[in-house]
Amino acid sequence: MAGAVAAAAGTVEITTAASAARATNTVRGVRRMPRHRPAVEWPDLTVRRNAPPGRGTDAAVTWSVCVRDAGGEVVHAHRPDLVLSTASVGKLLLLLEVARSLPLDLPCDRRDVAPVADSGLWRFLGTDVLPVEDLAVLVASVSDNLATNVLLHRVGLDRVAALAASLGLTATALHDVVRDVRTADHAPRLSSGSAAELSLLLHRLPSVEGGPRVLDWMRTSADLSMVASAFDLDPLSHNGGVVRNKTGTDDGVRVDVGVVTGPSMTVSYAVLANWPPASATVGDVLATMRALGDAIRVTVGK
């Protein structure tokens, strides 16, 4: 299980030896006692047919989960290296590139790209032109597809891919613009990733160029329907920084990644669920995601 973190020269690397993070725990020859962790009951994601939430998962649902503490150490994981579809979570890479490279007051015109429907608010607003930072907030808060494509028009997918490579990400990528109809001529999915890489990326955001600004934008997320539902926050008024998250939703896809701060600790988490749309219910998947959120809530002391 991935547990040690190396973050040299601005890159992300995940090693497979959990003992590397704990191999040396002494100062001046004095052995430190392990840090106390609250007893946490994590949901069982072992495959069991028709399992109730928290006591196994239907074989149709594929999960990838990774939760890290403030030091980057893995405190819980389930198949963390599995690469799954992440829907709009790949927009985080776009936001990071925007925060690093675009003037926040640069005006952008939605008429520069083709209209796109589904998630978002800009297509309902009267103004055609908004500054970069307003578009970034729209992407972070309501996963605005039109704002996403306008920002991608400014920076380009190549620069987003180069950023991911510079961070050492090999499983996590934004593959395409948002499309109303995805055909065989297009990338098969908007984005993909693994829980191991996404949780580590979230853990490292405070020290990555542009990362603190992205975390500020993530405070506005209005989707608290998945893991973050465990904190019972007002989705329209929770800008206190307890939960900063980004979600991804598609047919057969629910993904929630973020950072949670509580009295005991701060954790970064990534929870990915993929399934054939006709083979499981969204309600069961969301119930299990809430159960994972409950365990995270206990972990951070909320």
Side-chain angles (χ1 to χ4, degrees):
M1 181 182 297
V5 177
T11 64
V12 175
E13 294 182 21
I14 302 174
T15 66
T16 56
S19 60
R22 302 185 298 271
T24 303
N25 196 26
T26 60
V27 175
R28 296 180 181 176
V30 178
R31 178 75 177 178
R32 287 180 177 171
M33 295 298 292
R35 287 172 292 178
H36 171 72
R37 297 195 192 281
V40 181
E41 186 174 344
W42 294 95
D44 181 6
L45 297 181
T46 305
V47 172
R48 295 192 182 97
R49 276 287 180 189
N50 301 316
R55 298 186 180 179
T57 185
D58 193 277
V61 184
T62 301
W63 294 90
S64 179
V65 177
C66 191
V67 182
R68 299 177 186 272
D69 64 15
E73 182 181 342
V74 174
V75 298
H76 178 73
H78 174 83
R79 304 184 73 185
D81 297 316
L82 194 63
V83 180
L84 298 176
S85 177
T86 54
S88 290
V89 164
K91 296 174 183 178
L92 280 177
L93 294 172
L94 169 63
L95 290 177
L96 187 56
E97 177 59 28
V98 166
R100 293 156 63 102
S101 65
L102 289 185
L104 299 183
D105 59 353
L106 178 70
C108 298
D109 195 323
R110 66 186 176 188
R111 292 167 294 189
D112 291 338
V113 302
V116 64
D118 292 331
S119 62
L121 292 174
W122 195 12
R123 64 193 179 102
F124 299 110
L125 302 182
T127 182
D128 288 322
V129 179
L130 287 172
V132 162
E133 184 154 34
D134 286 0
L135 300 189
V137 170
L138 283 172
V139 173
S141 61
V142 294
S143 204
D144 196 291
N145 287 337
L146 184 54
T148 296
N149 284 358
V150 170
L151 290 174
L152 271 172
H153 177 72
R154 287 286 182 174
V155 302
L157 277 168
D158 288 347
R159 280 169 58 182
V160 177
L163 169 64
S166 74
L167 294 171
L169 302 175
T170 59
T172 302
L174 180 64
H175 301 293
D176 199 4
V177 299
V178 183
R179 300 181 186 274
D180 287 336
V181 179
R182 193 165 292 281
T183 72
D185 295 329
H186 305 136
R189 48 192 177 182
L190 178 62
S191 74
S192 59
S194 71
E197 284 194 354
L198 285 164
S199 63
L200 186 53
L201 176 64
L202 269 293
H203 163 69
R204 293 198 58 235
L205 275 184
S207 61
V208 171
E209 182 185 359
R213 190 174 299 277
V214 173
L215 285 168
D216 281 342
W217 292 335
M218 290 172 64
R219 293 173 189 265
T220 68
S221 172
D223 187 0
L224 306 183
S225 64
M226 303 184 206
V227 175
S229 66
F231 293 85
D232 296 325
L233 300 171
D234 181 342
L236 302 180
S237 180
H238 65 97
N239 200 15
V242 173
V243 176
R244 288 158 284 178
N245 75 316
K246 180 74 187 77
T247 61
T249 299
D250 204 345
D251 291 340
V253 178
R254 290 297 185 275
V255 178
D256 190 349
V257 306
V259 178
V260 178
T261 299
S264 299
M265 67 169 67
T266 293
V267 303
S268 59
Y269 69 87
V271 175
L272 289 59
N274 285 189
W275 70 96
S279 302
T281 68
V282 172
D284 286 345
V285 171
L286 292 181
T288 300
M289 294 182 92
R290 166 133 191 163
L292 285 159
D294 286 334
I296 290 172
R297 178 172 47 79
V298 173
T299 300
V300 302
K302 291 297 291 181

